[in-house]
Amino acid sequence: MGKIIAIANQKGGVGKTTTSVNLAASLGVLEKKVLLIDADPQANASSGLGVNVDDIKTGTYQLLEHANSAEECIIKADSPNVDIIPAHIDLVAIEIELVDKEQREYMLKQAITHLKSAYDYILIDCAPSLGLLTLNALTAADAVVIPIQCEYFALEGLGKLLNTIKSVQKIHNPELDIEGLLLTMYDSRLRLSNQVVEEVQKHFSDMVFKTIIQRNVRLGEAPSFGESIINYDVSSKGAANYLSLAKEIINKNRD
C-alpha cells in the first residue's frame, strides 16, 4: 500500500514546490512509483516537471469537482517512475465552488484513496494558504512534510499550521501524522541559518529530518528548464540533498 504525503506550509517561498518536484524525482530514481498531485493554482510543480500548463484539459480541478476520475487526470512526467496530476490557474475557483458541497473537505480523499495500491508514494504539493484546497490535501494524506526556511521568520506561522493539523486530526483525519519538518534554504555561512537550525532542532527534536536542504544555484535554475534537479544536474548539491531526503523517507517507512 502506498503512502500519501502532503507537503504543506501556509507561508509562501519556503521551498514547498521545490521539495515536491525534487522529492518526487528522487523517489522515482530510487525505483519507487510516485504520483505528484499539484494542488496549487500557481501550477509551478506541473511546469517544474515539464508539463505545459496551458494544454491542461484535465487536472486537479476536474479531480476535485469529481468531473473526471483520477486515472483520466494522470499524465506521465519526464522523470522516471513519476506521474503527475497537473494544476491549472482555474484551480483558483475551486474553493468557491466547493464551499456549499456536502463533504467538501473529503473531495480529494474520495478521488485518490484507491490509487494507493498503484503507487509507493503519492505527494501533494499544497497551496501557500490554509484554505479548502490545503484542507482537502491534509484530509486525504497519511502524513505531512513541513518545509521551513532557515530565515528569521521561519517559526512564525508554524504554530498556526500545527494547530490546523491538530484540528484536521480531530475532525477529519485522525490518522494524519507529521512525517517531518524539513529545513530548507540553509546557508552554512550565515549565523542566522545556524541559529534557526538549532532552534528548530531544540523545539522539535525527533520531528526534524536529518537531511537539510542547502541553498543551491542549480536548484534555483532547474524549474526554468522544466526539469527536476535530478534531470537537470544530478551531480549538484541540491540533487544530493533531495536524494538523501528520499532515502530518509524510504527508511522511515520501512520500520
Side-chain angles (χ1 to χ4, degrees), residues 9 11 14 147-159 183 196 200:
N9 189 330
K11 271 173 79 72
V14 296
I148 300 172
Q149 88 277 42
C150 296
E151 282 167 15
Y152 185 65
F153 290 117
L155 295 175
E156 197 184 74
L158 183 59
L183 290 156
V196 171
V200 172

Side-chain angles (χ1 to χ4, degrees), residues 9-79:
N9 189 330
Q10 78 276 24
K11 271 173 79 72
V14 296
K16 271 191 304 293
T17 300
T18 302
T19 296
S20 302
V21 166
N22 294 310
L23 177 57
S26 300
L27 287 165
V29 163
L30 296 170
E31 301 188 335
K32 299 294 175 189
K33 201 158 168 17
V34 185
L35 173 65
L36 175 58
I37 299 172
D38 191 346
D40 181 352
Q42 294 172 64
N44 292 339
S46 305
S47 54
L49 276 178
V51 175
N52 183 346
V53 285
D54 296 329
D55 296 343
I56 300 303
K57 299 285 180 279
T58 50
T60 314
Y61 177 81
Q62 286 73 18
L63 184 72
L64 283 160
E65 281 274 297
H66 293 183
N68 291 82
S69 70
E71 285 76 5
E72 291 169 326
C73 300
I74 292 171
I75 55 180
K76 184 91 200 73
D78 289 342
S79 282

Side-chain angles (χ1 to χ4, degrees), residues 93-254:
I94 199 77
E95 305 233 340
I96 299 157
E97 291 176 24
L98 290 183
V99 135
D100 51 4
K101 292 244 168 100
E102 288 270 317
Q103 301 267 300
R104 59 179 182 260
E105 297 90 354
Y106 297 91
M107 290 303 194
L108 187 59
K109 186 184 178 96
Q110 290 162 2
I112 65 168
T113 301
H114 70 283
L115 293 173
K116 285 168 81 168
S117 56
Y119 292 94
D120 297 307
Y121 292 96
I122 297 173
L123 305 181
I124 308 171
D125 183 31
C126 296
S129 75
L130 292 177
L132 202 45
L133 263 175
T134 300
L135 196 51
N136 260 275
L138 294 175
T139 302
D142 300 308
V144 55
V145 166
I146 304 170
I148 300 172
Q149 88 277 42
C150 296
E151 282 167 15
Y152 185 65
F153 290 117
L155 295 175
E156 197 184 74
L158 183 59
K160 207 171 176 184
L161 178 61
L162 293 173
N163 284 338
T164 300
I165 289 169
K166 270 200 194 101
S167 69
V168 169
Q169 287 167 328
K170 207 154 66 189
I171 305 164
H172 304 296
N173 184 2
E175 313 293 288
L176 183 64
D177 256 340
I178 293 178
E179 187 76 12
L181 306 181
L182 175 67
L183 290 156
T184 62
M185 305 181 193
Y186 172 74
D187 185 338
S188 58
R189 296 165 306 181
L190 298 179
R191 196 150 109 229
L192 180 63
S193 266
N194 293 304
Q195 283 171 341
V196 171
V197 170
E198 277 171 37
E199 190 83 352
V200 172
Q201 287 172 339
K202 190 173 82 191
H203 282 293
F204 299 102
S205 55
D206 291 351
M207 287 165 67
V208 187
F209 284 111
K210 289 184 179 64
T211 303
I212 295 177
I213 309 298
Q214 290 160 295
R215 275 199 186 278
N216 178 246
V217 174
R218 307 296 276 166
L219 205 49
E221 290 170 353
S224 57
F225 293 90
E227 290 185 342
S228 72
I229 190 65
I230 305 296
N231 282 18
Y232 181 64
D233 184 357
V234 77
S235 64
S236 68
K237 198 179 274 180
N241 288 168
Y242 277 108
L243 282 165
S244 161
L245 176 66
K247 286 174 188 156
E248 205 176 324
I249 288 175
I250 290 168
N251 289 334
K252 191 175 176 186
N253 288 292
R254 217 175 252 147

Side-chain angles (χ1 to χ4, degrees), residues 83-97:
D83 292 341
I84 181 168
I85 295 181
H88 185 275
I89 190 67
D90 60 8
L91 193 55
V92 165
I94 199 77
E95 305 233 340
I96 299 157
E97 291 176 24

